[in-house]
Amino acid sequence: MTSEVTQILNAIEDGDRQAASQLLPLVYDELRRLATQKMTREPAGQTIQPTALVHEAFLRLVGGEDKPNWDGRGHFFAAAAESMRRILIEAARRRKTEKRGGDRQRIDLSSDDVVAHPEDSETLLALDDALKKLDNEDPELARLVELRYFTGLTIDQTAEILGVSPRTVKRNWAYARAWLRREMEGDVSV
Amino acid sequence: MPHLSERSIFFEAIDLNDPHERRAYLDQACGGDAELRASVDALLQAHEAPDHALDRPPVEVPKIDFPHHIGSKIGPYRLMEQIGEGGFGLVFVAQQEHPVRRKVALKIVKPGTGTKEVLARFEAERQAVAMMDHPNIAKVFDAGVTDDGRPYFVMELVRGVPISEFADAHQMPIRDRLELFKNVCTAVHHAHQKGVIHRDIKPSNVMVTLHDDRPVVKVIDFGVAKAIGQSLTDKTIYTRFFSMIGTPLYMSPEQAEMSGLDVDTRSDIYSLGVLLYQLLVGETPFDRERLDSAGLDEMRRIIREEDPPRPSQRLTTLNARMTTVSNARRLDVKRLTSTLRGDLDWIVMKALEKDRNRRYDSAAAMANDISRHLTEQPIQARPPTLSYQLLKFARRQRVAIATFSLVALAMMIGTGASIWQMRVAYHERDLKEVALREATQAKRDVERFAAVVTEANSLVASAQTHAGSGRWKAAMDDYDRAIELQRNYDLPWIGRAQFFTRLNMWEEAANDYAHALSLGAATDTPQWWGVVALFTLTDHMQAANELCLQLNRQIALHKPIEQWEFVRTCAACRDCMSDQSLRDLAAWTRTELAKPEPPPQWDDGPRPPDRRRHPGFLFEPEGRPLRPPPERMPSDFSRSDFTGPNDGDTDWVGPEPSGSNPRDPGAFDSDQPPPPRSNRTGPPRSPHELPRNVRQYIAGLVHLRIGEHERAIELLEQARDDRSWPASWIVDAPMAIALHATNRADDAADALARSRQSIGEVTAMLSDERNPATKPPWFDFVEFFAFYTEASELIEGTTPIDVPSLEEIRSPVLMQLR
């Protein structure tokens, strides 16, 4: 599997546009698998940080061997960020429907498969909506937020991946952050 | 492009920290564009507002159900069809290809317990499980781990219906149900003989299939529950507890404790009892909804302590469901009730005993008893005999002391405390599954200790019964034995002390009370009414001080003493209480006395003819004296539900104190709890439970103690001048003390003289056993002598010589004790 992802990353670097679309499902599946495995093996009550998970997935899928340059990593983390966003949003949606009372059996089975607090899922869903709007306005900014928020990359790492200066990342982050909040709060007041 | 400029304005603005500069810049940059300005302002506000969602990274990853598709493979098994889903996990029919080609049931355990532990425990049991070979037991073939790390078990495929559903669906009559259930017992017995305990017997694990139209029982999951459930030892896995094991309806008390220890074959017997209960009644002994909604502690308490109704009783509480249940058994309601009453009740209840030593010692024994019932032979489980009931009483008392004895008691006793701590220590180690054997031993020690306490309680109960019938010697022997059993246990001491007060053996009573006090007995119970006066009279000044100190502490902790009798107890000692506490008490008495009075209580209703002869101040409306309450577990009196006069519940006079009424044991057998009372948990009743002059007398005493002598004299005069209360003999001595303190020597001497004149009458009354029902409580006499002695010493400077000695007072009874 490791080689598969590395190959894809290399292909992307070589300009193979098709390869990028193959990366996402691979990373997505790996993250889900990792999350499940964690939850099964770790003692109950132990929380698993999404960002930690992403980095573990990176090590498993890419790391070790011939280190790809940061650009290669960039593709990986972009895919990981999008995957993690999907995973978390799916869970938040599921939680929300459960709260409204769905199929009882489902509740029994999945009531403890979500550890986060219920209010977090509300926030998460609101953030997701706002992020979609930002994506329409300025896809670059949305990608920045996705990377920072869902994979936990630092300003410097993000700068390296996006190929811009840390100062630009910092300022853009500040702007996107304020923008999203204004958007989310606007939603609330409506 | 307003958007872009908004962004650049934002960038500029956040670099300007000075608010004036920033405002100036914004004014300039936005010009007259109010919309742009508002939008930038909102951005800046959002930028500066704290607690941004983006600043908190998503903390937790949701657990994702790894899909187990139909058709996917787990080890050598291919999933074919999902047949079950529940708290446990998922159950599939799976096809095994080799070494044999067959269909199996594959149970994938829900994530929760560590995979390694589950498998290790299963491995440990595997050999035993493999040795089970019984037509009514579904075999467990294999166990493993799925790719996503979940343990799974492979079992003989049983396509059946849970036994309770099967029986109802086929409207099986009771006899057929019993026959079917016997098969369950034999299967479980077989497993027990191979050393396998099921631990999770419930209908969904006892399936019934039809073979040639004949129902065949299959017990499934043997060995599985242990592998999955054993580490359920802590509250932190509360949720898991429910999700893994399901509701605790079938769980034995020892399992509910979740100490993780010591679950043996008898736990299965208990679960079999619940199963049989359900087959007979259609319901589990404890209400499903109630247990489900109870918190963990409450749930455990219910299972450990509450006695479920007998099956025939439970039937009557089903209301609307009753007809359905009866129909499913092809009987009418009446017939069903009478079928269950008797043997079947006792068989079920024997299996459901809290104390597993009292359960059937094997599943086979239970099956045999059912056979005996079916063939009309006498069964092994018996309806309770008297001694059995006594034991039950003791157990009920053990419930009462569950908090009292095992915690407080153990704490106050050196050995107990160390056993307790040992147990705690072992319990912790046990969580790591270490030292299992030692922990078991420690638990046994605690149980042995509890058993001794139980026995002591039952002896006390027996003593009370003897005393109630005037068998002094027998009562005395039982009290002595109870004390010798566990000398550090305060209850028998208090019991014997009360017994002694009944016999006017004040010296002995005081000794026992003092001993109980030194053991740390709780003193906020009516058994301690008047004991300060007793200590004073018998020269146990240290104990008197200690007792007052405890009452003092109560006041200091802002727990007002809202019981006149306790106030009175406090006032009996001259300088035991702190001034502040006494002032508080005095203020309280004034407030209470200032409240509007209910109609005078002893002027309505019939009175006993000789009632006026006595200062029996504890009258309830009918004029029946309220005696000091029974000797019972102190914890029973934590609520103030023992006073009865003005709650309208006039039947209840309370049990005899140490059997003070030999001729009429009363409506109360001392081995029974008091009759249930509707207002047990009602609001605290008003303190107007004593006649006004008794309250004035008590208020007088308190004011005497704080040195407000004029006030004391006034109150005592009021108490005495109410002619409907002929209490002069108890009022005169404190009055003399108050008068003396205000330098009215002549009046003081007169009051003392009046008191002295009463001695003869009082002494005669003391040994008068003719009408014990109207005899004043013992502490009236004690208080009389105590205050008389105090007054004499104060006024005449000498110890009075005319007080009968304690020896004289008790000698008549001593004869009877021999």
Side-chain angles (χ1 to χ4, degrees):
Chain A
M1 215 181 201
T2 299
S3 57
E4 197 181 349
V5 171
T6 316
Q7 272 169 21
I8 293 174
L9 289 178
N10 288 336
I12 296 172
E13 260 185 284
D14 293 342
D16 183 347
R17 288 187 172 261
Q18 285 291 75
S21 60
Q22 290 166 21
L23 182 61
L24 185 67
L26 269 178
V27 176
Y28 178 77
D29 279 348
E30 175 65 9
L31 282 175
R32 277 175 61 95
R33 221 179 60 80
L34 267 180
T36 310
Q37 211 173 57
K38 287 270 168 196
M39 292 308 281
T40 319
R41 298 211 173 130
E42 301 291 342
Q46 187 102 344
T47 62
I48 299 161
Q49 294 197 325
T51 52
L53 211 59
V54 167
H55 287 270
E56 188 170 335
F58 178 77
L59 284 179
R60 288 172 61 91
L61 295 180
V62 185
E65 313 157 352
D66 51 333
K67 277 191 179 173
N69 56 32
W70 266 113
D71 197 26
R73 288 192 184 200
H75 291 294
F76 174 84
F77 276 103
E82 195 181 335
S83 302
M84 187 49 78
R85 178 175 166 189
R86 282 193 198 178
I87 289 171
L88 290 173
I89 295 304
E90 276 163 17
R93 290 222 180 91
R94 198 165 61 223
R95 225 170 324 177
K96 221 174 139 184
T97 39
E98 269 174 22
K99 241 171 75 181
R100 293 204 197 99
D103 174 357
R104 210 184 145 76
Q105 286 281 18
R106 287 294 320 159
I107 294 177
D108 280 354
L109 260 188
S110 50
S111 56
D112 67 335
D113 75 4
V114 175
V115 208
H117 300 292
E119 61 266 27
D120 287 349
S121 48
E122 297 289 329
T123 314
L124 211 54
L125 291 175
L127 178 65
D128 187 53
D129 285 342
L131 208 47
K132 277 179 198 151
K133 285 182 191 147
L134 183 61
D135 196 38
N136 287 335
E137 298 270 3
D138 190 332
E140 282 296 315
L141 279 184
R143 191 171 163 231
L144 166 69
V145 172
E146 215 173 45
L147 266 179
R148 289 262 291 133
Y149 185 66
F150 290 105
T151 72
L153 290 183
T154 63
I155 295 273
D156 287 348
Q157 288 168 337
T158 315
E160 216 171 323
I161 282 176
L162 297 178
V164 293
S165 75
R167 179 181 142 84
T168 306
V169 169
K170 213 168 168 179
R171 285 167 76 87
N172 282 340
W173 169 253
Y175 178 70
R177 184 177 162 278
W179 195 94
L180 287 169
R181 175 148 186 152
R182 188 182 62 180
E183 193 63 37
M184 286 163 78
E185 279 175 357
D187 273 3
V188 170
S189 66
V190 165
Chain B
M1 283 231 281
H3 191 75
L4 255 184
S5 63
E6 175 191 271
R7 187 166 171 176
S8 47
I9 295 170
F10 174 80
F11 284 152
E12 282 296 332
I14 57 171
D15 284 339
L16 299 170
N17 286 327
D18 178 62
H20 296 289
E21 263 183 71
R22 187 185 277 189
R23 207 173 305 132
Y25 167 76
L26 289 175
D27 288 344
Q28 174 255 316
C30 297
D33 191 343
E35 203 181 325
L36 174 65
R37 177 61 187 270
S39 146
V40 174
D41 276 349
L43 265 187
L44 288 169
Q45 214 180 335
H47 173 69
E48 263 142 12
D51 192 30
H52 195 298
L54 280 180
D55 298 342
R56 283 174 277 126
V59 272
E60 285 152 314
V61 173
K63 187 169 16 175
I64 298 142
D65 277 328
F66 198 80
H68 292 287
H69 305 289
I70 302 303
S72 68
K73 264 187 115 177
I74 291 179
Y77 309 97
R78 186 170 295 282
L79 301 185
M80 296 177 66
E81 175 195 355
Q82 185 181 324
I83 50 171
E85 176 174 356
F88 182 101
L90 299 171
V91 191
F92 292 90
V93 175
Q95 180 74 45
Q96 183 180 2
E97 300 294 340
H98 56 91
V100 276
R101 209 183 136 81
R102 62 180 169 189
K103 281 182 183 160
V104 294
L106 192 145
K107 204 162 208 175
I108 301 174
V109 179
K110 191 178 176 181
T113 317
T115 308
K116 268 188 218 148
E117 291 91 318
V118 169
L119 290 179
R121 281 195 296 264
F122 182 74
E123 281 307 318
E125 188 126 303
R126 189 172 205 142
Q127 192 134 20
V129 170
M131 273 166 58
M132 290 191 303
D133 183 18
H134 193 276
N136 299 119
I137 294 178
K139 289 193 179 60
V140 179
F141 300 129
D142 194 10
V145 191
T146 64
D147 284 342
D148 59 331
R150 299 189 191 182
Y152 66 86
F153 294 91
V154 183
M155 288 167 284
E156 179 184 341
L157 179 63
V158 178
R159 285 194 182 270
V161 182
I163 184 168
S164 50
E165 283 174 33
F166 182 92
D168 282 355
H170 289 77
Q171 294 199 317
M172 288 176 82
I174 295 292
R175 173 169 285 269
D176 293 358
R177 286 168 191 251
L178 292 173
E179 291 291 351
L180 202 58
F181 181 77
K182 271 167 60 187
N183 292 336
V184 183
C185 288
T186 30
V188 171
H189 187 64
H190 173 84
H192 286 176
Q193 284 181 315
K194 302 287 176 192
V196 182
I197 304 164
H198 193 294
R199 289 160 192 261
D200 193 20
I201 294 175
K202 56 185 177 188
S204 58
N205 279 337
V206 181
M207 307 295 256
V208 180
T209 54
L210 281 175
H211 275 253
D212 304 329
D213 286 342
R214 237 170 31 83
V216 174
V217 166
K218 282 272 187 190
V219 184
I220 64 173
D221 275 5
F222 257 111
V224 173
K226 184 183 184 185
I228 299 167
Q230 198 181 38
S231 64
L232 300 173
T233 49
D234 204 275
K235 278 190 197 181
T236 53
I237 49 168
Y238 175 37
T239 48
R240 216 196 300 168
F241 173 73
F242 279 104
S243 63
M244 301 290 292
I245 301 296
T247 56
L249 288 167
Y250 300 86
M251 190 170 284
S252 65
E254 62 270 21
Q255 281 172 298
E257 280 193 42
M258 292 201 293
S259 55
L261 296 175
D262 229 13
V263 169
D264 61 18
T265 56
R266 291 170 294 183
S267 302
D268 279 352
I269 304 284
Y270 180 94
S271 303
L272 283 173
V274 181
L275 187 64
L276 179 56
Y277 197 110
Q278 194 178 3
L279 282 174
L280 297 176
V281 186
E283 294 285 334
T284 46
F286 296 112
D287 191 59
R288 179 180 297 269
E289 276 176 28
R290 179 161 171 241
L291 276 198
D292 279 356
S293 60
L296 180 67
D297 286 330
E298 172 65 3
M299 181 273 291
R300 287 158 82 171
R301 190 198 64 75
I302 293 172
I303 297 177
R304 279 198 321 249
E305 297 177 3
E306 281 191 16
D307 285 325
R310 292 196 300 272
S312 60
Q313 285 174 325
R314 180 73 202 258
L315 207 54
T316 59
T317 62
L318 296 183
N319 302 327
R321 289 246 310 119
M322 216 155 124
T323 322
T324 322
V325 168
S326 313
N327 288 345
R329 287 151 185 77
R330 300 188 198 177
L331 288 172
D332 62 41
V333 174
K334 243 185 172 165
R335 282 287 306 281
L336 179 57
T337 314
S338 65
T339 306
L340 298 189
R341 195 179 293 135
D343 281 4
L344 291 177
D345 271 350
W346 300 123
I347 288 173
V348 170
M349 295 316 280
K350 187 172 174 68
L352 291 182
E353 281 282 356
K354 304 279 184 224
D355 176 358
R356 56 187 179 183
N357 290 319
R358 300 189 60 86
R359 292 178 204 148
Y360 287 104
D361 46 24
S362 71
M366 190 173 180
N368 288 339
D369 233 9
I370 293 172
S371 299
R372 277 193 284 271
H373 165 73
L374 289 171
T375 53
E376 309 283 341
Q377 294 168 38
I379 58 165
Q380 186 196 344
R382 294 247 179 78
T385 57
L386 183 66
S387 65
Y388 173 85
Q389 273 172 331
L390 256 175
L391 267 165
K392 289 283 262 194
F393 165 79
R395 214 197 61 223
R396 277 199 299 277
Q397 299 295 35
R398 187 166 67 171
V399 170
I401 61 167
T403 46
F404 174 71
S405 81
L406 286 185
V407 181
L409 191 74
M411 288 309 170
M412 74 178 86
I413 305 165
T415 53
S418 56
I419 288 171
W420 184 261
Q421 283 152 4
M422 209 159 87
R423 190 192 172 201
V424 169
Y426 278 134
H427 183 67
E428 280 164 9
R429 288 173 63 187
D430 170 60
L431 292 181
K432 295 168 193 132
E433 303 200 29
V434 190
L436 190 97
R437 199 174 308 143
E438 293 97 316
T440 313
Q441 185 55 43
K443 189 155 180 257
R444 282 203 192 106
D445 288 348
V446 171
E447 278 172 358
R448 199 171 300 137
F449 177 71
V452 169
V453 166
T454 305
E455 201 185 335
N457 286 342
S458 83
L459 279 169
V460 168
S462 157
Q464 282 173 290
T465 314
H466 285 312
S469 314
R471 294 187 295 272
W472 309 127
K473 181 77 177 72
M476 182 82 171
D477 289 347
D478 279 347
Y479 278 124
D480 290 350
R481 276 168 57 210
I483 285 172
E484 283 314 314
L485 260 179
Q486 182 55 274
R487 290 188 65 84
N488 295 323
Y489 180 35
D490 61 359
L491 189 94
W493 291 95
I494 298 174
R496 197 171 69 180
Q498 288 203 292
F499 174 70
F500 282 139
T501 61
R502 165 68 195 88
L503 299 180
N504 302 332
M505 297 171 69
W506 294 338
E507 188 73 57
E508 288 82 354
N511 285 337
D512 281 2
Y513 270 124
H515 197 98
L517 195 66
S518 74
L519 291 174
T523 51
D524 54 349
T525 63
Q527 285 95 328
W528 294 85
W529 286 356
V531 173
V532 172
L534 178 71
F535 283 152
T536 314
L537 185 71
T538 53
D539 211 18
H540 283 76
M541 289 322 288
Q542 207 185 332
N545 263 308
E546 172 60 30
L547 182 50
C548 287
L549 197 70
Q550 292 201 14
L551 296 166
N552 244 331
R553 209 172 294 142
Q554 231 181 311
I555 300 167
L557 291 172
H558 305 290
K559 279 199 284 178
I561 294 188
E562 285 175 343
Q563 283 288 337
W564 283 96
E565 291 299 348
F566 280 120
V567 175
R568 179 178 176 180
T569 303
C570 295
C573 176
R574 187 163 28 177
D575 27 43
C576 291
M577 299 290 284
S578 77
D579 290 347
Q580 186 54 49
S581 297
L582 281 170
R583 272 195 295 275
D584 287 352
L585 291 178
W588 180 82
T589 62
R590 286 196 300 272
T591 316
E592 288 301 322
L593 284 174
K595 286 182 181 169
E597 283 295 304
Q601 295 193 336
W602 48 33
D603 281 344
D604 39 326
R607 301 172 200 151
D610 57 348
R611 189 185 56 78
R612 283 173 180 274
R613 275 186 49 234
H614 303 300
F617 44 73
L618 289 162
F619 282 100
E620 63 174 63
E622 276 70 14
R624 295 173 75 187
L626 175 75
R627 299 176 206 99
E631 307 166 47
R632 284 213 289 134
M633 303 307 294
S635 54
D636 280 358
F637 289 99
S638 53
R639 296 157 307 188
S640 61
D641 61 357
F642 44 78
T643 51
N646 63 340
D647 60 8
D649 188 359
T650 50
D651 289 342
W652 191 79
V653 186
E656 301 298 310
S658 309
S660 70
N661 188 350
R663 272 159 243 169
D664 172 23
F668 187 87
D669 293 334
S670 26
D671 59 348
Q672 293 289 325
R677 313 179 66 212
S678 54
N679 63 341
R680 273 193 164 255
T681 50
R685 56 181 57 80
S686 84
H688 295 300
E689 50 207 17
L690 296 179
R692 184 168 180 83
N693 26 21
V694 179
R695 284 180 276 135
Q696 284 165 335
Y697 163 70
I698 294 171
L701 293 186
V702 180
H703 284 87
L704 174 68
R705 290 309 184 201
I706 57 170
E708 286 192 29
H709 296 114
E710 293 299 343
R711 192 76 183 247
I713 292 166
E714 192 186 322
L715 284 161
L716 290 172
E717 269 173 351
Q718 286 168 355
R720 191 187 53 187
D721 288 352
D722 183 337
R723 289 185 18 211
S724 60
W725 187 49
S728 54
W729 60 258
I730 203 164
V731 173
D732 286 329
M735 176 78 93
I737 297 171
L739 289 168
H740 177 77
T742 52
N743 295 321
R744 279 177 266 176
D746 291 349
D747 291 346
D750 284 352
L752 185 60
R754 280 199 303 278
S755 187
R756 182 165 296 148
Q757 280 160 17
S758 317
I759 291 176
E761 187 195 347
V762 172
T763 313
M765 207 182 295
L766 196 55
S767 46
D768 182 6
E769 289 292 333
R770 278 171 309 176
N771 207 343
T774 50
K775 189 172 167 182
W778 62 270
F779 44 83
D780 273 17
F781 300 106
V782 168
E783 200 169 278
F784 170 79
F785 288 123
F787 272 102
Y788 175 70
T789 307
E790 188 184 328
S792 304
E793 285 171 350
L794 202 66
I795 294 166
E796 297 173 342
T798 54
T799 307
I801 48 164
D802 42 6
V803 173
S805 71
L806 299 176
E807 195 55 45
E808 280 173 68
I809 289 173
R810 71 172 182 177
S811 55
V813 210
L814 281 182
M815 306 295 291
Q816 300 178 41
L817 271 181
R818 291 199 187 99

